[in-house]
Structure formats: C-alpha cells, structure tokens
C-alpha cells in the first residue's frame, strides 16, 4: 500500500489528486487518479443521509461493468433520480425544478436551437430579458456551463432537473418548437400588402401568431404588450408586474403583416396610414373573460411601434382589500366615499395604479340612487350604470368643456381622469363646493405635495382648503408569490432604509422571493398598493390658508397620524406580503 504525502489537494473537477511532496527541496508534482464526479456525488448522497455508507460500499462491490456507481444506485432503487438531482442542486447552489409540473412557453423554448439543446442537454425555462434560465442534469459540469453563455449568446441562470426529465422534455419540447419555428419560416412567404382584402386571403399564419401573442400575454397577466421594430428584427416584450420582459423575437419581414392584422382587429385604425400616430381598441374574449386592448401605434425609425394596454374587465370588481388596503385604512377611506361633496384626490407617478383605485372607488359607490358621470382621456373601462365621456381635444371637447356640460346633467358624483390645468381644477372645485363629490388624480410624489401642485396651476389657497377633503398618494409593489415565498431576513442596508431594528423584526413574519413555475421563476406574482392618506381637517385648512410650505404640512400631517408610503410598505413587509427591497425601491423619495 502506497502512503500518500502529508499535503494533498483533492481536485474533483479534473478527476485527479494533486500531491505536493513533503520534501520542500523537491519541485516535482505527482498526479494520481482519485474520485470521479460520480464517486463524489455518491459520497454527497451518504453525507445527506440519503443512503447509508454500508450500502454504498456493498453497491461498489457489486458494480456491473460500464455502469456508474450513481446509476447503479438508481437502478437498484437505493436512491431515486429526484434525490440525486436535488443533492446535485443543493451542492451546486442552484434550484431544483420538476419539469413535469413546469409551464413552458414556446417563445422561450426557441431561444435555444434544437441542436444546441440536444448537444448540451439543456432545457430553456424562463427569460426575463436579462438572464435566460436553463435546466441541466449536471450543474457540476463546469466546463460546459462556462462555455454555454458564449455558445447561446446570453447570460444564464442555472437550474437542475433529473436526467430522465431532461431527455423526455428534449423530445417533447423541440418537436413543438420545430412546428413553431417552421410556422415562422412559412410566415416569410406571407404577402405584406396594405389592403385588408390581401390580408384576408394570406394571413392565416399571421392570425395564429398574433392570437398566440395576445393569449400568452393574458395568461401571464401582462398589463402591456410592446411590439418594437429594431434594425433587423421585431422585439416582443410584456410588462409583467410592472417590469418589461423580453419574450420573443420575430423576423423583421413579419412587421407590416402583424401591424396590419392588429389595425384590422381594432376596426378604427387605417392600414394605409403609417406616418402618423393612431389609437384604437380591440375587444376579445379570453376563455370566459371579456378583455379590451387599448392600441397605440407610433411611427419610429425602423417601422411602426405598437403598444397594447390589456384592460381586464375583472379589475372593475376589485374591492379596496384587493388594492392592498389594510382594514384600518380601508375603514377610513370608505368613510370618505360616503361624503356628500368635496374633492378626493389620488396622486402618484404614471403607472402607480391611480386609475384602478378610482375605478374601485366608483365600483363601491355605484348605486341605483346615484348619478355618476366620468370624463376620461381615454375611457379605459366601460362601467355599467355610469355615464362616461371621452375627451376629444381636437374638436374642442376638453376636460373643462366636458365638465361644464356634465354639471348640467345634475350628477351626484363626478370622476375626472386627471386635473391638468387651472380651468379644469377651478371647475372641479366649484362643482365640489356646490354639492358634488369629485374624484380625480394628480401627478405628485406624495400626498401633501398635491396642495402645492394645485396652487402652482392657479387655484387659490382658500378654495383648496374649502374643497379638498382627502388626498391619497400611492405606489405599486410586487407581491411575493404565495406558492413559493420562504422565510428570509433583511439586509443591513434594507433595515437602515426601513428604520427597523431587531426587536421589531423578531415579532414579524419576513419572507423573501424564491421562484417557481407559478411565478415564472421570479418569486413575485401580482402587485398591490402602498398608501399615504392625508385627510384635510380644520387645523390643516388653516395651515393651507396661511400659506405653509409642503414640508410644514407634511410634518403636521405626521403629527396628526398620517402614515407615509414607506411606513405602509413596512407594514406589508412585516406581514410577509412583499419584500424589503420592493418597498425601498418604490419609496426612494420617502425619507420621513
């Protein structure tokens, strides 16, 4: 028996043992064979308690020729393939994925060619626009994993699946993918003429392609679809939970036919007009749901760019709890909705959910004994039982003109899509002072800033003080996926930003994102609001009349009990509904 030197380094990756001789005068290195990756994995199975050491020794003694030790353990039912894959995943620090329960998207599958997928035994899972996540059977095959980003041309995230799952899904998915790819090649032959008649005779593949894009966006609960022409291709992106995600790429030759198909579906957009912006609306039925798409086309340097806003009518049924209100804020806000007059403002930047909140308010107070009229630009949802007026500035139907006409209709409640100028603001305030309850939005970062904003556009302070009843500022944060969220801590940076200490954290249920098939691997599913409710009482009215600054108003509002956006977000972090990083990101300007 040969004794090994005193100092040795085990190099599993290169299947050898590099031996440093004990004599410092010697400069020779000796490499002798040692554990293979299979041996190393077998030892990991023992360390993990999956198989006993004695059984492993017995299995080695009875190892058939040309069969690896791990495969022999699987064949003899000592361990399962899933246990092996989970052990590999844990050791490599990557997630394990059950491919049988994963929902695959054709647009992601075709990001990796059939040849590369089969040669390197990889399955594309998700694509967030920055990283492509792929499943492999051996996450310890470092040489292959180092090469893959260069071969595919993408930054990769790695997940681990069983070897059998990889083999089965390579066959299943790439048969489907071949059909998908062949369909795209066929579409090169489609006429891209501008006439609707030409489309009707040649557009069957285009119809399927467009329908697939719309259906997949709805299934993924996207809020927008972006069709963007680039120099040599067409990029398709969905906005998922507020984040734009790249989902597909079309050949550039398909762009005219795709745009023409969407214009035909809208029924109001001209196929021949490519030089001017156009707007339209598409109504579809997805399963048992009625869905509206608001379509906007704009000419760009590489062709027409189209954005479609998906308006799911089930959003009309949202109550205040679904928006993200906790019971105390909900009770306070519902009291405001019962007021007979005054103005209630919802503020926040574009994309913060202001319109959805207004619709939810109208849904709560929409009763047969109330006449409700809205003026919007554009009308996003059609609300049963409510009179809705669309702004058309080109013919003189501005917000102000529509408001004047609405007041002659004797409404109880008025909703104004947005207060943009002094004329609209003054008419709205006069309406509120003459017995109407008015809802509207403003673009401000927080609730107290709305007072200064109204003053800036020309409204007198005494009118603001008399008319405004409450201001609700809001932001949207992503909700943790309930199927996979797991207990987690906060980083020191997050704790400082959120002003949390260990004592408060000890009583909380902090969770963080993990990722599963239900949330497309990103750990979040859906969004909710965080809110800042600023009620205007007699003391605050006096401060507004006195010309106090926004910072003074904000300080006094805090003293009176106003909870800031960040403080409301902290409550939702402590309740395990969202992550600390989400709240910090959404409230970067909130330092109180």
């Amino acid at each position: 028996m040969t004794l090994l030197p005193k100092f040795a380094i085990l190099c599993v990756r290169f299947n050898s043992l590099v031996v440093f001789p004990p004599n410092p005068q010697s400069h020779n290195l000796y490499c002798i064979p040692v554990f293979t990756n299979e041996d190393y994995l077998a030892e990991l199975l023992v360390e993990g308690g999956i198989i006993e050491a004695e059984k492993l020794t017995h299995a080695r003694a009875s190892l058939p020729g040309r069969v690896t030790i791990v495969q022999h353990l699987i064949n003899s039912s000592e361990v399962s393939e899933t246990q092996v894959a989970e052990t590999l995943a844990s050791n490599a620090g990557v997630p394990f994925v059950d491919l049988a329960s994963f929902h695959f998207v054709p647009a992601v599958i075709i990001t990796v060619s059939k040849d590369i997928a089969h040669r390197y035994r990889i399955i594309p899972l998700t694509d967030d626009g920055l990283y492509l996540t792929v499943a492999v059977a051996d996450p310890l095959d470092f040489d292959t994993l180092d090469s893959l980003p260069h071969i595919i041309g993408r930054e990769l995230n790695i997940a681990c699946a069983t070897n059998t799952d990889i083999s089965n899904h390579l066959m299943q998915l790439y048969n489907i993918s071949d059909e998908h790819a062949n369909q795209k090649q066929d579409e090169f032959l489609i006429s891209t003429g501008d006439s609707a008649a030409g489309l009707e005779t040649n557009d069957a593949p285009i119809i399927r392609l467009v329908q697939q894009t719309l259906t997949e966006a709805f299934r993924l609960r996207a809020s927008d679809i972006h069709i963007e022409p680039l120099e040599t291709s067409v990029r398709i992106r969905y906005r998922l939970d507020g984040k734009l995600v790249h989902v597909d790429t079309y050949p550039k030759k398909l762009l005219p036919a795709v745009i023409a198909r969407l214009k035909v579906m809208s029924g109001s957009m001209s196929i021949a007009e490519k030089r001017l912006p156009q707007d339209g609306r598409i109504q579809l039925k997805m399963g048992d749901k009625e869905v509206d798409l608001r379509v906007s086309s704009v000419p760009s340097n590489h062709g027409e760019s189209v954005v479609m806003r998906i308006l799911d009518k089930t959003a009309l049924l949202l109550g205040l709890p679904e928006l993200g209100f906790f019971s105390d804020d909900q009770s306070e806000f519902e009291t405001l909705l019962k007021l007979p007059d005054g103005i209630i403002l919802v503020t926040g930047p574009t994309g913060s959910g202001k319109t959805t909140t207004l619709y939810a308010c109208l849904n709560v107070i929409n009763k047969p004994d109330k006449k409700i009229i809205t003026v919007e630009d554009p009308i996003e949802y059609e609300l049963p039982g409510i009179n809705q007026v669309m702004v058309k500035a080109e013919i003189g139907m501005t917000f102000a003109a529509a408001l004047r006409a609405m007041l002659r209709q004797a409404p109880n409640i008025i909703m104004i899509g947005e207060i943009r100028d002094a004329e609209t603001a003054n008419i709205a305030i006069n309406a509120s002072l003459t017995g109407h309850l008015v809802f509207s939005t403003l673009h401000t970062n927080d609730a107290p800033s709305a007072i200064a904003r109204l003053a800036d556009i020309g409204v007198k302070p005494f009118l603001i003080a008399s008319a405004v009843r409450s201001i609700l500022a809001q932001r949207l944060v992503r909700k943790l996926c309930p199927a996979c969220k797991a207990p987690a801590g906060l980083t020191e940076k997050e704790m400082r930003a959120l002003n949390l200490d260990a004592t408060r954290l000890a009583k909380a249920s902090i969770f963080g994102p993990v990722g599963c098939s239900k949330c497309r691997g990103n750990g979040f599913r859906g969004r909710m609001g965080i809110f800042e409710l600023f009620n205007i009482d007699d003391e605050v009215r006096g401060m507004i009349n006195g010309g106090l600054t926004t910072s003074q108003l904000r300080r006094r509002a805090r003293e009176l009990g106003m909870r800031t956006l960040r403080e409301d977000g902290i409550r939702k972090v402590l309740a395990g509904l969202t992550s600390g990083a989400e709240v910090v990101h959404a409230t970067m300007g909130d330092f109180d």
Side-chain angles (χ1 to χ4, degrees):
M1 178 178 177
T2 303
L3 294 177
L4 294 180
K6 183 176 179 182
F7 302 102
I9 296 177
L10 182 64
C11 185
V12 175
R13 178 172 174 179
F14 298 105
N15 304 327
S16 61
L17 183 67
V18 181
V19 181
F20 292 86
N23 181 359
Q25 304 301 319
S26 173
H27 299 288
N28 296 322
L29 293 179
Y30 305 95
C31 292
I32 61 175
V34 75
F35 290 137
T36 65
N37 281 2
E38 290 285 328
D39 293 318
Y40 176 62
L41 177 54
E43 294 298 329
L44 289 177
L45 294 172
V46 173
E47 289 178 12
I50 295 170
I51 185 173
E52 296 175 356
E54 293 79 6
K55 288 187 177 181
L56 177 60
T57 302
H58 177 73
R60 283 202 172 107
S62 59
L63 186 65
R66 297 187 178 182
V67 177
T68 66
I69 181 61
V70 174
Q71 189 59 50
H72 180 46
L73 292 173
I74 293 171
N75 293 344
S76 59
S77 300
E78 294 292 348
V79 298
S80 70
E81 242 192 313
T82 299
Q83 289 174 316
V84 171
E86 288 176 339
T87 300
L88 274 170
S90 175
N91 185 256
V94 301
F96 169 78
V97 60
D98 178 7
L99 298 183
S101 62
F102 192 85
H103 180 83
F104 293 94
V105 179
V108 175
I109 295 301
I110 63 174
T111 58
V112 176
S113 71
K114 179 179 179 179
D115 288 343
I116 290 176
H118 278 271
R119 185 182 308 161
Y120 297 100
R121 297 184 56 73
I122 59 176
I123 302 289
L125 299 176
T126 62
D127 185 353
D128 65 5
L130 295 176
Y131 290 92
L132 177 68
T133 301
V134 298
V136 301
D138 184 4
L140 297 180
D141 184 1
F142 301 111
D143 290 331
T144 297
L145 297 183
D146 286 347
S147 302
L148 275 176
H150 305 287
I151 294 167
I152 298 174
R154 294 289 305 277
E155 292 292 327
L156 300 181
N157 282 330
I158 301 301
C160 183
T162 67
N163 196 48
T164 299
D165 263 0
I166 293 284
S167 297
N168 290 341
H169 283 78
L170 281 171
M171 295 299 296
Q172 295 171 14
L173 294 172
Y174 279 91
N175 284 340
I176 295 172
S177 178
D178 285 347
E179 294 172 7
H180 186 73
N182 289 337
Q183 174 182 310
K184 285 194 170 187
Q185 292 299 321
D186 291 343
E187 287 161 357
F188 275 107
L189 304 176
I190 294 172
S191 168
T192 57
D194 289 334
S195 69
L199 283 171
E200 289 172 0
T201 58
N202 295 298
D203 71 344
I206 285 292
I207 290 175
R208 292 197 299 269
L209 182 64
V210 170
Q211 186 63 36
Q212 179 189 20
T213 301
L214 301 181
T215 302
E216 187 65 15
F218 181 76
R219 188 191 66 78
L220 292 175
R221 300 166 63 187
S223 59
D224 308 321
I225 303 170
H226 295 250
I227 301 177
E228 303 165 318
L230 306 178
E231 186 174 359
T232 60
S233 62
V234 180
R235 179 173 63 184
I236 309 299
R237 294 195 289 176
Y238 298 158
R239 191 178 297 279
L240 304 173
D241 296 334
K243 306 289 184 182
L244 271 176
V245 177
H246 177 265
V247 295
D248 207 350
T249 301
Y250 296 161
K252 186 66 174 287
K253 290 184 179 181
L254 296 184
L255 180 64
V258 169
I259 300 297
R261 173 60 186 165
L262 292 170
K263 288 180 176 179
V264 168
M265 292 175 69
S266 76
S268 61
M269 301 171 72
S270 170
I271 298 175
E273 182 57 74
K274 300 179 180 179
R275 300 166 301 171
L276 296 174
Q278 295 188 71
D279 294 302
R281 186 180 290 265
I282 296 172
Q283 293 185 318
L284 296 173
K285 190 164 186 178
M286 300 285 188
D288 58 349
K289 291 185 177 181
E290 296 287 340
V291 180
D292 283 355
L293 284 83
R294 198 177 75 206
V295 186
S296 171
S297 71
V298 174
S300 71
N301 57 333
H302 294 303
E304 283 186 278
S305 174
V306 170
V307 175
M308 290 174 281
R309 175 88 181 272
I310 299 176
L311 306 172
D312 180 2
K313 291 186 177 180
T314 57
L316 299 178
L317 304 177
L318 289 177
L320 299 182
E322 287 80 8
L323 295 179
F325 281 97
F326 278 156
S327 57
D328 52 351
D329 285 338
Q330 179 184 340
S331 176
E332 188 174 359
F333 198 63
E334 284 177 343
T335 301
L336 294 169
L337 299 182
K338 297 174 184 176
L339 292 173
D341 54 30
I343 294 181
I344 297 175
L345 294 172
V346 181
T347 76
T350 300
S352 59
K354 300 186 297 295
T355 301
T356 300
T357 297
L358 287 182
Y359 279 124
C361 292
L362 294 184
N363 187 51
V364 170
I365 60 180
N366 186 12
K367 300 292 188 288
D369 62 338
K370 302 285 186 185
K371 184 176 180 67
I372 303 175
I373 303 181
T374 73
V375 53
E376 305 171 60
D377 182 21
I379 295 172
E380 294 197 0
Y381 297 96
E382 293 183 4
L383 303 168
I386 293 178
N387 301 278
Q388 295 174 265
V389 178
M390 183 170 171
V391 169
K392 295 182 180 179
E394 65 274 13
I395 62 171
M397 180 65 99
T398 61
F399 273 105
L403 270 173
R404 289 193 197 94
M406 287 165 53
L407 292 175
R408 294 193 289 271
Q409 296 282 312
N412 302 104
I413 298 162
I414 297 171
M415 187 193 92
I416 307 167
E418 182 183 350
I419 293 178
R420 301 176 179 176
D421 53 55
E423 187 178 15
T424 303
N426 282 308
I427 295 172
I429 284 177
N430 288 332
S432 70
L433 294 175
T434 55
H436 304 86
L437 182 59
V438 179
F439 294 90
S440 190
T441 69
L442 275 177
H443 286 274
T444 64
N445 289 328
D446 62 3
S449 296
I451 302 299
R453 174 64 180 152
L454 288 173
D456 288 343
I457 63 177
V459 182
K460 301 295 184 184
F462 75 91
L463 290 175
I464 299 173
S466 301
V468 178
R469 297 287 183 268
S470 184
I471 305 166
L472 178 74
Q474 68 177 67
R475 298 288 189 280
L476 292 177
V477 295
R478 293 183 293 172
K479 294 190 291 186
L480 291 168
C481 175
C484 66
K485 69 179 183 180
L490 297 175
T491 66
E492 287 189 17
K493 183 178 179 181
E494 289 168 353
M495 290 178 65
R496 287 196 304 271
L498 300 177
N499 195 25
L500 291 172
D501 55 33
T503 304
R504 194 171 178 188
L505 289 177
K507 303 175 183 178
S509 302
I510 307 292
F511 286 82
V514 176
C516 66
S517 60
K518 293 183 178 179
C519 61
R520 307 175 307 281
N522 63 28
F524 296 93
R525 185 171 173 82
R527 290 188 291 173
M528 65 179 176
I530 54 175
F531 304 101
E532 178 176 284
L533 187 59
F534 180 27
N535 291 327
I536 311 298
D537 60 12
D538 289 339
E539 182 176 352
V540 175
R541 287 190 186 93
M543 296 169 70
I544 295 171
N545 280 324
L548 267 66
T549 64
T550 297
S551 59
Q552 291 171 316
L553 283 172
R554 185 173 182 80
R555 191 177 305 114
R556 184 55 185 153
R558 295 293 309 284
E559 293 170 357
L560 295 172
M562 183 188 79
R563 188 181 297 112
T564 68
L565 287 164
R566 179 161 289 186
E567 288 170 341
D568 191 47
I570 290 170
R571 292 204 303 168
K572 285 157 186 171
V573 171
L574 298 180
L577 299 176
T578 188
S579 69
E582 276 292 299
V583 172
V584 172
H585 176 74
T587 59
M588 289 297 291
D590 186 356
F591 301 107
D592 288 344

